Amino acid sequence: MQARLMMVIVFITALCFLGLVPASAAEDQADFDTASVKDAEPMYDKKVMRAVRESLGLTKHDLSQDESIRTMSQVEVMDRYMRQTNNRVKGQDAREAVQLVFDVDISLVSRLGYGNTLDRYDPFVMEAVRQSLGLQADDVSQDAAIMNMKKNHVMDRVIRHYNDSLSGAEIRQLINYVFGINLDGISGLKGAQVGIFSKGQWIIQEPDDLLVISSSPDDVELYVSLTDYYRAFTGSDAFPEALAAFLEDAGFSFSSEKDRYEWINPDGVSAPDPFKGQIIGELLATIHMLNQ
């Protein structure tokens, strides 16, 4: 418990700079049925385990370090898994790594057209895609067409532009820019008792989650909900007073029908990362208080 509390304190500061993973309209279904909760400490797919063992200098069937692998961050596991490509990571390789390590299907996100609502992606993305189309890096004439591309297609063009040589950290940054999914933040939130439901799939869900944060597919709307575990843990159906006051000051309103706090960006665009980080930080502070 003490280790968890210390981790939460650290993340309150760090997550001010992290983007929330947006959530799916499917949040309207069954209000986060806890029957499908992911195992608290899952072993990774055998393909991942074999690759990580070999990255540690073991044979792929040597189980001697499996407990150490279980304690690695998902980011480290992803990087070690991708090393088997000899640092020539193609788009499909990266998407497979995300699926196997994080259990997040970003290809589904691409097919459904979910993700950030933006005029343009970050310059890191736009300049690479423009040049892949034979344009100058600062030529904005095809930006509308670029923003209408499938997200997998955008991702692949950026990776190919850099000759499949992007690092794991750069690939995760690219995924955040294009899909609005912050894998570094997800990795850091494991065990922090904050659930995230995103784009029709659970991104983080543990049996002892106290609060859930989610959003609309385009990240224009944010939602904060209590869990059944929160109600059992606290003996209350009410939001903590300090959290409720914070959310209301931040522009959220309480929906008695949905039993959650809701926020809609009046500008009609995706919620900015600093704002989402601020909300997550307050949720973590609340969880810290509840655990004292």
Side-chain angles (χ1 to χ4, degrees), residues 21-27 114-115 117 197-199 214-223 263 270:
V21 183
S24 148
E27 47 79 28
Y114 291 166
T117 296
F197 189 76
S198 171
K199 303 177 177 70
S214 58
S215 71
S216 59
D218 54 11
D219 213 13
V220 173
E221 301 181 17
L222 303 179
Y223 318 113
W263 176 88
S270 298

mmCIF file with all atom_site columns, all heavy atoms in Angstrom, residues 21-27 114-115 117 197-199 214-223 263 270:
data_model
loop_
_atom_site.group_PDB
_atom_site.id
_atom_site.type_symbol
_atom_site.label_atom_id
_atom_site.label_alt_id
_atom_site.label_comp_id
_atom_site.label_asym_id
_atom_site.label_entity_id
_atom_site.label_seq_id
_atom_site.pdbx_PDB_ins_code
_atom_site.Cartn_x
_atom_site.Cartn_y
_atom_site.Cartn_z
_atom_site.occupancy
_atom_site.B_iso_or_equiv
_atom_site.pdbx_formal_charge
_atom_site.auth_seq_id
_atom_site.auth_comp_id
_atom_site.auth_asym_id
_atom_site.auth_atom_id
_atom_site.pdbx_PDB_model_num
ATOM 1   N N   . VAL A 1 21  ? -5.939  9.340  -22.349 1.00 0.00 ? 21  VAL A N   1
ATOM 2   C CA  . VAL A 1 21  ? -6.401  8.525  -23.463 1.00 0.00 ? 21  VAL A CA  1
ATOM 3   C C   . VAL A 1 21  ? -7.888  8.749  -23.612 1.00 0.00 ? 21  VAL A C   1
ATOM 4   O O   . VAL A 1 21  ? -8.646  8.485  -22.701 1.00 0.00 ? 21  VAL A O   1
ATOM 5   C CB  . VAL A 1 21  ? -6.137  7.048  -23.187 1.00 0.00 ? 21  VAL A CB  1
ATOM 6   C CG1 . VAL A 1 21  ? -6.533  6.214  -24.367 1.00 0.00 ? 21  VAL A CG1 1
ATOM 7   C CG2 . VAL A 1 21  ? -4.682  6.840  -22.850 1.00 0.00 ? 21  VAL A CG2 1
ATOM 8   N N   . PRO A 1 22  ? -8.355  9.252  -24.785 1.00 0.00 ? 22  PRO A N   1
ATOM 9   C CA  . PRO A 1 22  ? -9.766  9.514  -24.934 1.00 0.00 ? 22  PRO A CA  1
ATOM 10  C C   . PRO A 1 22  ? -10.587 8.228  -24.920 1.00 0.00 ? 22  PRO A C   1
ATOM 11  O O   . PRO A 1 22  ? -10.079 7.176  -25.216 1.00 0.00 ? 22  PRO A O   1
ATOM 12  C CB  . PRO A 1 22  ? -9.875  10.193 -26.302 1.00 0.00 ? 22  PRO A CB  1
ATOM 13  C CG  . PRO A 1 22  ? -8.520  10.408 -26.784 1.00 0.00 ? 22  PRO A CG  1
ATOM 14  C CD  . PRO A 1 22  ? -7.579  9.609  -25.943 1.00 0.00 ? 22  PRO A CD  1
ATOM 15  N N   . ALA A 1 23  ? -11.911 8.356  -24.607 1.00 0.00 ? 23  ALA A N   1
ATOM 16  C CA  . ALA A 1 23  ? -12.720 7.155  -24.502 1.00 0.00 ? 23  ALA A CA  1
ATOM 17  C C   . ALA A 1 23  ? -13.787 7.088  -25.558 1.00 0.00 ? 23  ALA A C   1
ATOM 18  O O   . ALA A 1 23  ? -14.039 8.015  -26.286 1.00 0.00 ? 23  ALA A O   1
ATOM 19  C CB  . ALA A 1 23  ? -13.356 7.090  -23.131 1.00 0.00 ? 23  ALA A CB  1
ATOM 20  N N   . SER A 1 24  ? -14.441 5.934  -25.677 1.00 0.00 ? 24  SER A N   1
ATOM 21  C CA  . SER A 1 24  ? -15.390 5.658  -26.729 1.00 0.00 ? 24  SER A CA  1
ATOM 22  C C   . SER A 1 24  ? -16.817 5.997  -26.341 1.00 0.00 ? 24  SER A C   1
ATOM 23  O O   . SER A 1 24  ? -17.167 6.046  -25.172 1.00 0.00 ? 24  SER A O   1
ATOM 24  C CB  . SER A 1 24  ? -15.281 4.194  -27.093 1.00 0.00 ? 24  SER A CB  1
ATOM 25  O OG  . SER A 1 24  ? -16.503 3.688  -27.493 1.00 0.00 ? 24  SER A OG  1
ATOM 26  N N   . ALA A 1 25  ? -17.645 6.198  -27.344 1.00 0.00 ? 25  ALA A N   1
ATOM 27  C CA  . ALA A 1 25  ? -19.058 6.402  -27.070 1.00 0.00 ? 25  ALA A CA  1
ATOM 28  C C   . ALA A 1 25  ? -19.658 5.167  -26.430 1.00 0.00 ? 25  ALA A C   1
ATOM 29  O O   . ALA A 1 25  ? -20.736 5.209  -25.864 1.00 0.00 ? 25  ALA A O   1
ATOM 30  C CB  . ALA A 1 25  ? -19.796 6.730  -28.368 1.00 0.00 ? 25  ALA A CB  1
ATOM 31  N N   . ALA A 1 26  ? -18.974 4.053  -26.500 1.00 0.00 ? 26  ALA A N   1
ATOM 32  C CA  . ALA A 1 26  ? -19.459 2.828  -25.885 1.00 0.00 ? 26  ALA A CA  1
ATOM 33  C C   . ALA A 1 26  ? -19.526 2.937  -24.379 1.00 0.00 ? 26  ALA A C   1
ATOM 34  O O   . ALA A 1 26  ? -20.004 2.038  -23.704 1.00 0.00 ? 26  ALA A O   1
ATOM 35  C CB  . ALA A 1 26  ? -18.560 1.652  -26.266 1.00 0.00 ? 26  ALA A CB  1
ATOM 36  N N   . GLU A 1 27  ? -19.063 4.055  -23.802 1.00 0.00 ? 27  GLU A N   1
ATOM 37  C CA  . GLU A 1 27  ? -19.179 4.219  -22.370 1.00 0.00 ? 27  GLU A CA  1
ATOM 38  C C   . GLU A 1 27  ? -20.635 4.302  -21.935 1.00 0.00 ? 27  GLU A C   1
ATOM 39  O O   . GLU A 1 27  ? -20.945 4.144  -20.766 1.00 0.00 ? 27  GLU A O   1
ATOM 40  C CB  . GLU A 1 27  ? -18.420 5.457  -21.888 1.00 0.00 ? 27  GLU A CB  1
ATOM 41  C CG  . GLU A 1 27  ? -18.650 6.716  -22.673 1.00 0.00 ? 27  GLU A CG  1
ATOM 42  C CD  . GLU A 1 27  ? -19.953 7.399  -22.325 1.00 0.00 ? 27  GLU A CD  1
ATOM 43  O OE1 . GLU A 1 27  ? -20.443 7.261  -21.210 1.00 0.00 ? 27  GLU A OE1 1
ATOM 44  O OE2 . GLU A 1 27  ? -20.505 8.062  -23.202 1.00 0.00 ? 27  GLU A OE2 1
ATOM 45  N N   . TYR A 1 114 ? -11.768 7.104  -34.699 1.00 0.00 ? 114 TYR A N   1
ATOM 46  C CA  . TYR A 1 114 ? -11.702 7.790  -33.421 1.00 0.00 ? 114 TYR A CA  1
ATOM 47  C C   . TYR A 1 114 ? -10.383 8.546  -33.301 1.00 0.00 ? 114 TYR A C   1
ATOM 48  O O   . TYR A 1 114 ? -9.460  8.338  -34.053 1.00 0.00 ? 114 TYR A O   1
ATOM 49  C CB  . TYR A 1 114 ? -11.793 6.796  -32.260 1.00 0.00 ? 114 TYR A CB  1
ATOM 50  C CG  . TYR A 1 114 ? -13.137 6.123  -32.093 1.00 0.00 ? 114 TYR A CG  1
ATOM 51  C CD1 . TYR A 1 114 ? -13.269 5.011  -31.278 1.00 0.00 ? 114 TYR A CD1 1
ATOM 52  C CD2 . TYR A 1 114 ? -14.276 6.583  -32.742 1.00 0.00 ? 114 TYR A CD2 1
ATOM 53  C CE1 . TYR A 1 114 ? -14.494 4.383  -31.106 1.00 0.00 ? 114 TYR A CE1 1
ATOM 54  C CE2 . TYR A 1 114 ? -15.491 5.965  -32.575 1.00 0.00 ? 114 TYR A CE2 1
ATOM 55  C CZ  . TYR A 1 114 ? -15.606 4.853  -31.755 1.00 0.00 ? 114 TYR A CZ  1
ATOM 56  O OH  . TYR A 1 114 ? -16.804 4.250  -31.585 1.00 0.00 ? 114 TYR A OH  1
ATOM 57  N N   . GLY A 1 115 ? -10.292 9.397  -32.296 1.00 0.00 ? 115 GLY A N   1
ATOM 58  C CA  . GLY A 1 115 ? -9.039  10.105 -32.044 1.00 0.00 ? 115 GLY A CA  1
ATOM 59  C C   . GLY A 1 115 ? -9.264  11.592 -31.883 1.00 0.00 ? 115 GLY A C   1
ATOM 60  O O   . GLY A 1 115 ? -10.393 12.084 -31.881 1.00 0.00 ? 115 GLY A O   1
ATOM 61  N N   . THR A 1 117 ? -9.736  15.479 -32.314 1.00 0.00 ? 117 THR A N   1
ATOM 62  C CA  . THR A 1 117 ? -10.312 16.400 -33.284 1.00 0.00 ? 117 THR A CA  1
ATOM 63  C C   . THR A 1 117 ? -9.407  17.620 -33.353 1.00 0.00 ? 117 THR A C   1
ATOM 64  O O   . THR A 1 117 ? -9.345  18.428 -32.424 1.00 0.00 ? 117 THR A O   1
ATOM 65  C CB  . THR A 1 117 ? -11.730 16.815 -32.866 1.00 0.00 ? 117 THR A CB  1
ATOM 66  O OG1 . THR A 1 117 ? -12.577 15.667 -32.880 1.00 0.00 ? 117 THR A OG1 1
ATOM 67  C CG2 . THR A 1 117 ? -12.290 17.861 -33.823 1.00 0.00 ? 117 THR A CG2 1
ATOM 68  N N   . PHE A 1 197 ? -11.305 4.083  -19.778 1.00 0.00 ? 197 PHE A N   1
ATOM 69  C CA  . PHE A 1 197 ? -12.078 3.399  -20.816 1.00 0.00 ? 197 PHE A CA  1
ATOM 70  C C   . PHE A 1 197 ? -12.011 4.232  -22.076 1.00 0.00 ? 197 PHE A C   1
ATOM 71  O O   . PHE A 1 197 ? -12.381 5.402  -22.062 1.00 0.00 ? 197 PHE A O   1
ATOM 72  C CB  . PHE A 1 197 ? -13.527 3.225  -20.370 1.00 0.00 ? 197 PHE A CB  1
ATOM 73  C CG  . PHE A 1 197 ? -14.323 2.344  -21.285 1.00 0.00 ? 197 PHE A CG  1
ATOM 74  C CD1 . PHE A 1 197 ? -14.162 0.978  -21.255 1.00 0.00 ? 197 PHE A CD1 1
ATOM 75  C CD2 . PHE A 1 197 ? -15.229 2.894  -22.177 1.00 0.00 ? 197 PHE A CD2 1
ATOM 76  C CE1 . PHE A 1 197 ? -14.903 0.152  -22.092 1.00 0.00 ? 197 PHE A CE1 1
ATOM 77  C CE2 . PHE A 1 197 ? -15.979 2.091  -23.022 1.00 0.00 ? 197 PHE A CE2 1
ATOM 78  C CZ  . PHE A 1 197 ? -15.826 0.713  -22.974 1.00 0.00 ? 197 PHE A CZ  1
ATOM 79  N N   . SER A 1 198 ? -11.512 3.639  -23.166 1.00 0.00 ? 198 SER A N   1
ATOM 80  C CA  . SER A 1 198 ? -11.184 4.442  -24.331 1.00 0.00 ? 198 SER A CA  1
ATOM 81  C C   . SER A 1 198 ? -11.533 3.733  -25.626 1.00 0.00 ? 198 SER A C   1
ATOM 82  O O   . SER A 1 198 ? -11.148 2.583  -25.833 1.00 0.00 ? 198 SER A O   1
ATOM 83  C CB  . SER A 1 198 ? -9.676  4.742  -24.317 1.00 0.00 ? 198 SER A CB  1
ATOM 84  O OG  . SER A 1 198 ? -9.281  5.342  -25.532 1.00 0.00 ? 198 SER A OG  1
ATOM 85  N N   . LYS A 1 199 ? -12.284 4.432  -26.470 1.00 0.00 ? 199 LYS A N   1
ATOM 86  C CA  . LYS A 1 199 ? -12.534 3.952  -27.823 1.00 0.00 ? 199 LYS A CA  1
ATOM 87  C C   . LYS A 1 199 ? -13.047 2.516  -27.860 1.00 0.00 ? 199 LYS A C   1
ATOM 88  O O   . LYS A 1 199 ? -12.573 1.672  -28.592 1.00 0.00 ? 199 LYS A O   1
ATOM 89  C CB  . LYS A 1 199 ? -11.261 4.084  -28.670 1.00 0.00 ? 199 LYS A CB  1
ATOM 90  C CG  . LYS A 1 199 ? -10.726 5.509  -28.712 1.00 0.00 ? 199 LYS A CG  1
ATOM 91  C CD  . LYS A 1 199 ? -9.423  5.594  -29.490 1.00 0.00 ? 199 LYS A CD  1
ATOM 92  C CE  . LYS A 1 199 ? -8.946  7.010  -29.582 1.00 0.00 ? 199 LYS A CE  1
ATOM 93  N NZ  . LYS A 1 199 ? -8.487  7.523  -28.262 1.00 0.00 ? 199 LYS A NZ  1
ATOM 94  N N   . SER A 1 214 ? -12.977 8.877  -18.551 1.00 0.00 ? 214 SER A N   1
ATOM 95  C CA  . SER A 1 214 ? -13.238 8.479  -19.930 1.00 0.00 ? 214 SER A CA  1
ATOM 96  C C   . SER A 1 214 ? -13.593 9.717  -20.731 1.00 0.00 ? 214 SER A C   1
ATOM 97  O O   . SER A 1 214 ? -13.660 10.816 -20.190 1.00 0.00 ? 214 SER A O   1
ATOM 98  C CB  . SER A 1 214 ? -14.381 7.452  -19.980 1.00 0.00 ? 214 SER A CB  1
ATOM 99  O OG  . SER A 1 214 ? -15.551 7.992  -19.395 1.00 0.00 ? 214 SER A OG  1
ATOM 100 N N   . SER A 1 215 ? -13.805 9.538  -22.020 1.00 0.00 ? 215 SER A N   1
ATOM 101 C CA  . SER A 1 215 ? -14.175 10.688 -22.850 1.00 0.00 ? 215 SER A CA  1
ATOM 102 C C   . SER A 1 215 ? -14.872 10.225 -24.098 1.00 0.00 ? 215 SER A C   1
ATOM 103 O O   . SER A 1 215 ? -14.965 9.026  -24.381 1.00 0.00 ? 215 SER A O   1
ATOM 104 C CB  . SER A 1 215 ? -12.941 11.523 -23.209 1.00 0.00 ? 215 SER A CB  1
ATOM 105 O OG  . SER A 1 215 ? -12.117 10.850 -24.115 1.00 0.00 ? 215 SER A OG  1
ATOM 106 N N   . SER A 1 216 ? -15.387 11.177 -24.844 1.00 0.00 ? 216 SER A N   1
ATOM 107 C CA  . SER A 1 216 ? -16.012 10.875 -26.123 1.00 0.00 ? 216 SER A CA  1
ATOM 108 C C   . SER A 1 216 ? -14.937 10.426 -27.112 1.00 0.00 ? 216 SER A C   1
ATOM 109 O O   . SER A 1 216 ? -13.748 10.646 -26.889 1.00 0.00 ? 216 SER A O   1
ATOM 110 C CB  . SER A 1 216 ? -16.732 12.119 -26.651 1.00 0.00 ? 216 SER A CB  1
ATOM 111 O OG  . SER A 1 216 ? -15.812 13.194 -26.804 1.00 0.00 ? 216 SER A OG  1
ATOM 112 N N   . PRO A 1 217 ? -15.325 9.788  -28.225 1.00 0.00 ? 217 PRO A N   1
ATOM 113 C CA  . PRO A 1 217 ? -14.331 9.287  -29.180 1.00 0.00 ? 217 PRO A CA  1
ATOM 114 C C   . PRO A 1 217 ? -13.382 10.358 -29.696 1.00 0.00 ? 217 PRO A C   1
ATOM 115 O O   . PRO A 1 217 ? -12.224 10.070 -29.993 1.00 0.00 ? 217 PRO A O   1
ATOM 116 C CB  . PRO A 1 217 ? -15.188 8.721  -30.310 1.00 0.00 ? 217 PRO A CB  1
ATOM 117 C CG  . PRO A 1 217 ? -16.473 8.344  -29.661 1.00 0.00 ? 217 PRO A CG  1
ATOM 118 C CD  . PRO A 1 217 ? -16.703 9.381  -28.601 1.00 0.00 ? 217 PRO A CD  1
ATOM 119 N N   . ASP A 1 218 ? -13.851 11.597 -29.778 1.00 0.00 ? 218 ASP A N   1
ATOM 120 C CA  . ASP A 1 218 ? -13.011 12.673 -30.290 1.00 0.00 ? 218 ASP A CA  1
ATOM 121 C C   . ASP A 1 218 ? -12.356 13.483 -29.176 1.00 0.00 ? 218 ASP A C   1
ATOM 122 O O   . ASP A 1 218 ? -11.689 14.479 -29.437 1.00 0.00 ? 218 ASP A O   1
ATOM 123 C CB  . ASP A 1 218 ? -13.818 13.607 -31.198 1.00 0.00 ? 218 ASP A CB  1
ATOM 124 C CG  . ASP A 1 218 ? -15.068 14.151 -30.526 1.00 0.00 ? 218 ASP A CG  1
ATOM 125 O OD1 . ASP A 1 218 ? -15.213 13.974 -29.285 1.00 0.00 ? 218 ASP A OD1 1
ATOM 126 O OD2 . ASP A 1 218 ? -15.911 14.736 -31.218 1.00 0.00 ? 218 ASP A OD2 1
ATOM 127 N N   . ASP A 1 219 ? -12.552 13.070 -27.923 1.00 0.00 ? 219 ASP A N   1
ATOM 128 C CA  . ASP A 1 219 ? -11.915 13.718 -26.784 1.00 0.00 ? 219 ASP A CA  1
ATOM 129 C C   . ASP A 1 219 ? -12.449 15.131 -26.540 1.00 0.00 ? 219 ASP A C   1
ATOM 130 O O   . ASP A 1 219 ? -11.826 15.918 -25.837 1.00 0.00 ? 219 ASP A O   1
ATOM 131 C CB  . ASP A 1 219 ? -10.387 13.764 -26.970 1.00 0.00 ? 219 ASP A CB  1
ATOM 132 C CG  . ASP A 1 219 ? -9.628  13.648 -25.656 1.00 0.00 ? 219 ASP A CG  1
ATOM 133 O OD1 . ASP A 1 219 ? -10.256 13.297 -24.646 1.00 0.00 ? 219 ASP A OD1 1
ATOM 134 O OD2 . ASP A 1 219 ? -8.421  13.914 -25.645 1.00 0.00 ? 219 ASP A OD2 1
ATOM 135 N N   . VAL A 1 220 ? -13.595 15.456 -27.110 1.00 0.00 ? 220 VAL A N   1
ATOM 136 C CA  . VAL A 1 220 ? -14.206 16.758 -26.883 1.00 0.00 ? 220 VAL A CA  1
ATOM 137 C C   . VAL A 1 220 ? -14.952 16.772 -25.542 1.00 0.00 ? 220 VAL A C   1
ATOM 138 O O   . VAL A 1 220 ? -15.104 17.824 -24.932 1.00 0.00 ? 220 VAL A O   1
ATOM 139 C CB  . VAL A 1 220 ? -15.157 17.120 -28.042 1.00 0.00 ? 220 VAL A CB  1
ATOM 140 C CG1 . VAL A 1 220 ? -15.933 18.403 -27.752 1.00 0.00 ? 220 VAL A CG1 1
ATOM 141 C CG2 . VAL A 1 220 ? -14.363 17.282 -29.341 1.00 0.00 ? 220 VAL A CG2 1
ATOM 142 N N   . GLU A 1 221 ? -15.399 15.598 -25.100 1.00 0.00 ? 221 GLU A N   1
ATOM 143 C CA  . GLU A 1 221 ? -16.103 15.477 -23.829 1.00 0.00 ? 221 GLU A CA  1
ATOM 144 C C   . GLU A 1 221 ? -15.305 14.586 -22.880 1.00 0.00 ? 221 GLU A C   1
ATOM 145 O O   . GLU A 1 221 ? -14.736 13.576 -23.303 1.00 0.00 ? 221 GLU A O   1
ATOM 146 C CB  . GLU A 1 221 ? -17.502 14.892 -24.028 1.00 0.00 ? 221 GLU A CB  1
ATOM 147 C CG  . GLU A 1 221 ? -18.380 15.713 -24.961 1.00 0.00 ? 221 GLU A CG  1
ATOM 148 C CD  . GLU A 1 221 ? -19.766 15.125 -25.130 1.00 0.00 ? 221 GLU A CD  1
ATOM 149 O OE1 . GLU A 1 221 ? -20.154 14.276 -24.290 1.00 0.00 ? 221 GLU A OE1 1
ATOM 150 O OE2 . GLU A 1 221 ? -20.460 15.500 -26.087 1.00 0.00 ? 221 GLU A OE2 1
ATOM 151 N N   . LEU A 1 222 ? -15.283 14.955 -21.598 1.00 0.00 ? 222 LEU A N   1
ATOM 152 C CA  . LEU A 1 222 ? -14.627 14.164 -20.568 1.00 0.00 ? 222 LEU A CA  1
ATOM 153 C C   . LEU A 1 222 ? -15.650 13.748 -19.522 1.00 0.00 ? 222 LEU A C   1
ATOM 154 O O   . LEU A 1 222 ? -16.596 14.504 -19.241 1.00 0.00 ? 222 LEU A O   1
ATOM 155 C CB  . LEU A 1 222 ? -13.511 14.961 -19.883 1.00 0.00 ? 222 LEU A CB  1
ATOM 156 C CG  . LEU A 1 222 ? -12.389 15.526 -20.759 1.00 0.00 ? 222 LEU A CG  1
ATOM 157 C CD1 . LEU A 1 222 ? -11.397 16.296 -19.884 1.00 0.00 ? 222 LEU A CD1 1
ATOM 158 C CD2 . LEU A 1 222 ? -11.693 14.423 -21.538 1.00 0.00 ? 222 LEU A CD2 1
ATOM 159 N N   . TYR A 1 223 ? -15.450 12.569 -18.939 1.00 0.00 ? 223 TYR A N   1
ATOM 160 C CA  . TYR A 1 223 ? -16.358 12.058 -17.916 1.00 0.00 ? 223 TYR A CA  1
ATOM 161 C C   . TYR A 1 223 ? -15.553 11.501 -16.747 1.00 0.00 ? 223 TYR A C   1
ATOM 162 O O   . TYR A 1 223 ? -14.506 10.877 -16.936 1.00 0.00 ? 223 TYR A O   1
ATOM 163 C CB  . TYR A 1 223 ? -17.234 10.931 -18.476 1.00 0.00 ? 223 TYR A CB  1
ATOM 164 C CG  . TYR A 1 223 ? -17.760 11.178 -19.864 1.00 0.00 ? 223 TYR A CG  1
ATOM 165 C CD1 . TYR A 1 223 ? -17.326 10.401 -20.937 1.00 0.00 ? 223 TYR A CD1 1
ATOM 166 C CD2 . TYR A 1 223 ? -18.686 12.194 -20.112 1.00 0.00 ? 223 TYR A CD2 1
ATOM 167 C CE1 . TYR A 1 223 ? -17.798 10.626 -22.219 1.00 0.00 ? 223 TYR A CE1 1
ATOM 168 C CE2 . TYR A 1 223 ? -19.168 12.421 -21.392 1.00 0.00 ? 223 TYR A CE2 1
ATOM 169 C CZ  . TYR A 1 223 ? -18.724 11.636 -22.448 1.00 0.00 ? 223 TYR A CZ  1
ATOM 170 O OH  . TYR A 1 223 ? -19.192 11.871 -23.714 1.00 0.00 ? 223 TYR A OH  1
ATOM 171 N N   . TRP A 1 263 ? -17.886 17.032 -18.868 1.00 0.00 ? 263 TRP A N   1
ATOM 172 C CA  . TRP A 1 263 ? -17.333 18.296 -19.361 1.00 0.00 ? 263 TRP A CA  1
ATOM 173 C C   . TRP A 1 263 ? -17.358 18.275 -20.878 1.00 0.00 ? 263 TRP A C   1
ATOM 174 O O   . TRP A 1 263 ? -17.004 17.262 -21.501 1.00 0.00 ? 263 TRP A O   1
ATOM 175 C CB  . TRP A 1 263 ? -15.900 18.470 -18.867 1.00 0.00 ? 263 TRP A CB  1
ATOM 176 C CG  . TRP A 1 263 ? -15.183 19.684 -19.374 1.00 0.00 ? 263 TRP A CG  1
ATOM 177 C CD1 . TRP A 1 263 ? -15.175 20.933 -18.836 1.00 0.00 ? 263 TRP A CD1 1
ATOM 178 C CD2 . TRP A 1 263 ? -14.330 19.773 -20.524 1.00 0.00 ? 263 TRP A CD2 1
ATOM 179 N NE1 . TRP A 1 263 ? -14.391 21.791 -19.556 1.00 0.00 ? 263 TRP A NE1 1
ATOM 180 C CE2 . TRP A 1 263 ? -13.844 21.091 -20.609 1.00 0.00 ? 263 TRP A CE2 1
ATOM 181 C CE3 . TRP A 1 263 ? -13.911 18.846 -21.491 1.00 0.00 ? 263 TRP A CE3 1
ATOM 182 C CZ2 . TRP A 1 263 ? -12.985 21.520 -21.620 1.00 0.00 ? 263 TRP A CZ2 1
ATOM 183 C CZ3 . TRP A 1 263 ? -13.068 19.260 -22.497 1.00 0.00 ? 263 TRP A CZ3 1
ATOM 184 C CH2 . TRP A 1 263 ? -12.609 20.586 -22.553 1.00 0.00 ? 263 TRP A CH2 1
ATOM 185 N N   . SER A 1 270 ? -10.680 18.777 -29.303 1.00 0.00 ? 270 SER A N   1
ATOM 186 C CA  . SER A 1 270 ? -10.228 17.881 -28.248 1.00 0.00 ? 270 SER A CA  1
ATOM 187 C C   . SER A 1 270 ? -9.703  18.663 -27.047 1.00 0.00 ? 270 SER A C   1
ATOM 188 O O   . SER A 1 270 ? -9.066  19.705 -27.193 1.00 0.00 ? 270 SER A O   1
ATOM 189 C CB  . SER A 1 270 ? -9.133  16.960 -28.784 1.00 0.00 ? 270 SER A CB  1
ATOM 190 O OG  . SER A 1 270 ? -9.621  16.155 -29.830 1.00 0.00 ? 270 SER A OG  1
#
